[in-house]
Amino acid sequence: MNPIPSRIQQQPFIRSFLRRVPAEVAASFTTDQLAAVQRMFGMRYAMEHLLDLRRTVRLPWGRFYLVVLAGRDDRQDAPGWAGYAPLAAVAAAVGVAGAAAMLLIG
């Protein structure tokens, strides 16, 4: 069992993650393991977006949530719009903008 360095423990995602696992398991993680967990799961919740709208929609048959996120794509392995026809890319952008406008109005 390697002790976990303090700077790793201070990361918000890692602190939350370690609180959710049994103490003996949390104590057994190495720095490399925690870094891998952070890379795989931590960034999903820590990213900042240019547009981040989260709304709950109440309908007669239930409640639903709607999330619209938009921002710069810095992923190295993201295909982007390269495989799509230009008209499809424009249609998708217009659809997203329309949905965002409806959320802001409602």
Side-chain angles (χ1 to χ4, degrees), residues 29-50:
F29 280 108
T30 66
T31 302
D32 290 339
Q33 289 171 329
L34 287 174
V37 168
Q38 172 103 21
R39 279 193 307 276
M40 290 301 298
F41 300 106
M43 293 308 295
R44 293 182 184 184
Y45 308 105
M47 296 177 80
E48 292 185 19
H49 297 90
L50 181 63

Side-chain angles (χ1 to χ4, degrees), residues 38-105:
Q38 172 103 21
R39 279 193 307 276
M40 290 301 298
F41 300 106
M43 293 308 295
R44 293 182 184 184
Y45 308 105
M47 296 177 80
E48 292 185 19
H49 297 90
L50 181 63
L51 175 65
D52 187 346
L53 296 172
R54 300 165 193 261
R55 298 284 188 259
T56 299
V57 179
R58 292 182 183 168
L59 300 173
W61 54 88
R63 286 179 25 175
F64 296 86
Y65 65 93
L66 187 62
V67 178
V68 177
L69 300 173
R72 181 180 206 89
D73 189 359
D74 293 328
R75 297 174 297 169
Q76 299 298 321
D77 60 347
W81 293 102
Y84 297 96
L87 185 57
V90 170
V94 168
V96 168
M102 288 177 14
L103 283 173
L104 288 173
I105 292 170

